[in-house]
Structures are given as C-alpha cells and as structure tokens.
Amino acid sequence: HLCLFPPFPTMIELILNDRLGRKVRVKCNASDTILILKMLAAAQLGTKAEKLRIQKGNVIYKDHISLDDYELKDGMGLELYYN
C-alpha cells in the first residue's frame, strides 16, 4: 500500500518564558524553524521577531534551524529575551 500524501506535520506547543512574568504558549509545526517560532511569538507579544532571542541555558537557538533539529518536544519551555 503506497501512501500518496505526506504525513501531517506534527503540531507541538512550546512555552516561552520572558522571565518578566510573561509566558507565551506558541503552537507550531515540529518542522518549523526558530525564525517561524519567533514570528508566531512576536505576533502574540506585539513586537518584531528580529527583536527576540530564544535560548535554553546558554544555548542560543539559530533562526534557520528547525525545531526538530534542536529536538524540541511538545510542552517544552524555552527562555525568551528581548534584544
């Protein structure tokens, strides 16, 4: 049996904490890049994506790499900083 359609992208929800008391829940595809995640978060926060920096610990996530490549899973929390 041959599947004619690619599988649906996996939707995940990530929690971005800006450490100023604000947590943003962002739903996105696991195949999305960090830049897309920033754009979705920026829309909720009313700011520009290029002003955001997403990291966990001392690892700063790069815009062109996918959430899958960083092995980010549903429900994970990330740190959000404003540049």
Side-chain angles (χ1 to χ4, degrees):
H1 179 264
L2 181 66
C3 181
L4 298 176
F5 301 103
F8 290 107
T10 307
M11 289 290 289
I12 60 173
E13 183 179 63
L14 297 171
I15 297 108
L16 304 177
N17 186 346
D18 70 1
R19 305 172 76 113
L20 300 171
R22 189 151 188 201
K23 283 187 180 179
V24 182
R25 294 178 166 271
V26 181
K27 288 191 188 319
C28 49
N29 294 321
S31 59
D32 288 346
T33 63
I34 293 294
L35 181 59
I36 293 170
L37 175 62
K38 284 183 182 179
M39 291 164 77
L40 294 167
Q44 287 189 41
L45 292 165
T47 187
K48 293 181 178 174
E50 53 268 18
K51 292 191 181 285
L52 301 178
R53 184 175 83 238
I54 296 174
Q55 65 184 71
K56 183 150 182 121
N58 57 2
V59 177
I60 298 173
Y61 293 120
K62 302 205 182 316
D63 285 351
H64 64 282
I65 299 178
S66 77
L67 307 179
D68 254 349
D69 289 341
Y70 277 123
E71 297 184 359
L72 299 178
K73 304 294 181 213
D74 188 41
M76 281 183 74
L78 301 171
E79 299 156 22
L80 181 66
Y81 295 94
Y82 302 97
N83 290 333

